[in-house]
Amino acid sequence: MRIAILGFGSVGRGIARVIQEKDPGITVTGLADSRSGIMDPEGIDLPAALDRKEKKGLCGDRQVSPLNVVDGAEYDALVEVSPTRIDDGEPATTHIVHALSRGKHVVTSNKGPIALAHRRLHALAVSHGVQLRYEATVCGAIPVLHILQHDLLGNQVQALHGVMNGTCNFILTRMEDEGLTYDQALAEAREMGYAEADPTYDVKGIDAALKLVILANTVWDLGVTLDDVEITGIDLITPEAIRLACDRETTIRLIAEAIPEKGLLRVSPRIIPQGHPLLVEGTLNAVTLHTDLAGELTFIGKGAGSVETASAVIGDLLYLGEHHAGAH
Ligand code: HSE
């Protein structure tokens, strides 16, 4: 399979490194960051591109724009992993529209376009006979969308609850375990590269809400947006509140929940008893699905990180290679 990668930050570079190390039968024929691009139908030299990015901050040639790569490179699937912009989902949405319109599959970790324009993009993919896959947009390495779309077919999903933001979970865990202040814990999360480019998306609950919107629209086709989610972040949580919860053998976690029957879509800090399945540590995510046949299922895994996100992207690509090889 030939791919073009748009975005060469932590996720894009993680994908390139995994392809280089594991050689999963994927050739990168187009690559762009926000300021440069490169195309080679025979396959781009990935170690050289990684080296250029590290030394010069550019993966390719300044004359080649991301859109040049989307429109001009020879590939089967576009991998859109540029940073999320949630106000308008751009420029990623335009990249995805162009690729789908060329009859190319799209795999993305970019929450903006999927949360804002899922119906339109899905319809465009269907009309061009290609696939739009976005496992990496929710819960990092946990293959929750695949489980919902494939493994639980035949079940009715009644509700879902989850810890869906690794940065918030890391901050809360560090405040609890080490007695750090919110600001100290946030600084650590940023240093380790878990947080979004703008970490207010994380701590104000917006990132978790985007994931909830994506899940709700995928599972129930609700057509909801961020405005439909009741959101409270963790930025006002004090060490005292955490200590108090601890004294009562409970702890605080940022929980996202969707119960369509009650019209409920909410992200908020909640008090969780010790031993609760959603009580995970550090950057872990956890998601519980409530279903009619399979009952309650909880999945736990890394919710953030470059290689973990690459796992979801490469899983989507290999799935496409196996099941939908015939893109134009
Ligand atoms: N900033 C996000 C998180 C990255 O902390 O969960 C993964 O979506």
Side-chain angles (χ1 to χ4, degrees):
M1 161 167 297
R2 296 163 309 163
I3 65 167
I5 304 176
L6 286 204
F8 213 41
S10 138
V11 176
R13 294 201 300 270
I15 295 165
R17 287 200 187 96
V18 172
I19 290 175
Q20 196 192 319
E21 279 161 27
K22 295 190 86 135
D23 192 15
I26 294 170
T27 307
V28 182
T29 55
L31 176 64
D33 53 30
S34 56
R35 294 179 301 144
S36 71
I38 175 170
M39 295 182 257
D40 184 345
E42 300 305 318
I44 290 162
D45 180 346
L46 290 178
L50 285 161
D51 194 52
R52 266 195 309 278
K53 183 73 183 176
E54 197 182 317
K55 295 199 173 121
K56 296 192 201 153
L58 301 174
C59 69
D61 189 337
R62 277 186 203 276
Q63 267 73 54
V64 180
S65 73
L67 211 49
N68 291 151
V69 172
V70 180
D71 292 340
E74 290 175 28
Y75 58 90
D76 305 302
L78 178 75
V79 173
E80 220 301 343
V81 292
S82 64
T84 276
R85 214 164 79 195
I86 56 150
D87 45 345
D88 60 1
E90 293 297 350
T93 305
T94 298
H95 299 153
I96 293 173
V97 166
H98 278 233
L100 294 174
S101 305
R102 279 186 74 191
K104 309 295 182 192
H105 300 301
V106 172
V107 171
T108 187
S109 64
N110 204 317
K111 287 161 273 206
I114 305 300
L116 291 173
H118 176 253
R119 273 196 184 156
R120 176 162 69 95
L121 297 175
H122 177 70
L124 193 61
V126 170
S127 73
H128 287 88
V130 289
Q131 291 265 311
L132 169 65
R133 299 189 68 83
Y134 46 93
E135 184 66 72
T137 58
V138 283
C139 297
I142 306 175
V144 62
L145 291 176
H146 193 276
I147 289 164
L148 285 162
Q149 289 172 323
H150 302 280
D151 306 308
L152 290 176
L153 279 177
N155 278 266
Q156 198 196 342
V157 181
Q158 292 140 340
L160 57 88
H161 292 83
V163 168
M164 299 186 189
N165 183 271
T167 300
C168 288
N169 212 64
F170 176 84
I171 292 173
L172 293 172
T173 306
R174 294 293 286 157
M175 286 174 75
E176 184 179 334
D177 292 352
E178 305 296 330
L180 299 187
T181 64
Y182 165 82
D183 288 325
Q184 288 167 325
L186 172 60
E188 256 189 25
R190 293 192 74 177
E191 248 167 57
M192 297 177 83
Y194 303 140
E196 295 297 302
D198 176 355
T200 47
Y201 285 0
D202 294 292
V203 296
K204 291 201 173 291
I206 296 163
D207 176 76
L210 285 173
K211 291 165 182 164
L212 194 66
V213 164
I214 293 171
L215 279 167
N217 288 341
T218 303
V219 179
W220 298 294
D221 194 22
L222 294 182
V224 290
T225 68
L226 210 50
D227 290 340
D228 299 302
V229 187
E230 218 182 297
I231 310 174
T232 313
I234 63 154
D235 47 334
L236 298 177
I237 298 215
T238 58
E240 290 69 38
I242 297 213
R243 252 198 316 274
L244 216 65
C246 255
D247 289 347
R248 296 179 182 169
E249 301 200 351
T250 60
T251 190
I252 299 176
R253 288 292 182 264
L254 186 72
I255 303 291
E257 53 192 327
I259 312 177
E261 201 179 66
K262 296 186 181 164
L264 180 78
L265 280 177
R266 180 167 61 197
V267 172
S268 59
R270 302 286 288 274
I271 292 176
I272 304 279
Q274 296 293 345
H276 190 280
L278 292 181
L279 212 177
V280 289
E281 305 285 311
T283 57
L284 286 175
N285 279 192
V287 58
T288 300
L289 308 175
H290 304 260
T291 67
D292 60 346
L293 304 179
E296 205 175 289
L297 300 142
T298 299
F299 302 91
I300 295 174
K302 298 251 178 78
S306 119
V307 171
E308 292 80 0
T309 309
S311 162
V313 168
I314 288 182
D316 272 347
L317 287 170
L318 296 182
Y319 177 89
L320 284 177
E322 244 174 62
H323 299 273
H324 300 275
H328 319 293

